[in-house]
Amino acid sequence: QQILQHFLKKAVDEGQLKIDDVELAAHQFPELCKAGLHMEMVLGLRGKPTDAEIDRVVESAVDVFLCKYGV
């Protein structure tokens, strides 16, 4: 969590992102990266996701995150 906060704060300081609450954003990003896959695995509804499924979810997480915090 601290490493991600530091990374995001640096991006804000360099003008690459606009984030008012870096701590919250650092919690949000990993949650976006798990969208659906993690809960299904925890509940035993699925096995390990494929690389393609992981790529799809993570790429979408980056897109959503940048829609909110990109400059």
Side-chain angles (χ1 to χ4, degrees), residues 42-53:
V42 167
L43 295 175
L45 301 174
R46 67 166 302 132
K48 180 182 175 195
T50 66
D51 288 345
E53 290 172 316

Side-chain angles (χ1 to χ4, degrees), residues 6-60:
H6 176 73
F7 176 83
L8 294 175
K9 174 84 169 81
K10 184 177 179 204
V12 169
D13 292 345
E14 293 174 356
Q16 297 171 338
L17 297 173
K18 184 178 189 288
I19 303 173
D20 294 328
D21 189 338
V22 171
E23 181 181 359
L24 177 60
H27 283 284
Q28 290 171 328
F29 184 68
E31 293 300 318
L32 289 169
C33 289
K34 296 188 291 186
L37 299 176
H38 181 259
M39 184 58 68
E40 290 177 358
M41 288 177 62
V42 167
L43 295 175
L45 301 174
R46 67 166 302 132
K48 180 182 175 195
T50 66
D51 288 345
E53 290 172 316
I54 294 169
D55 288 347
R56 177 179 163 262
V57 170
V58 172
E59 287 175 12
S60 180

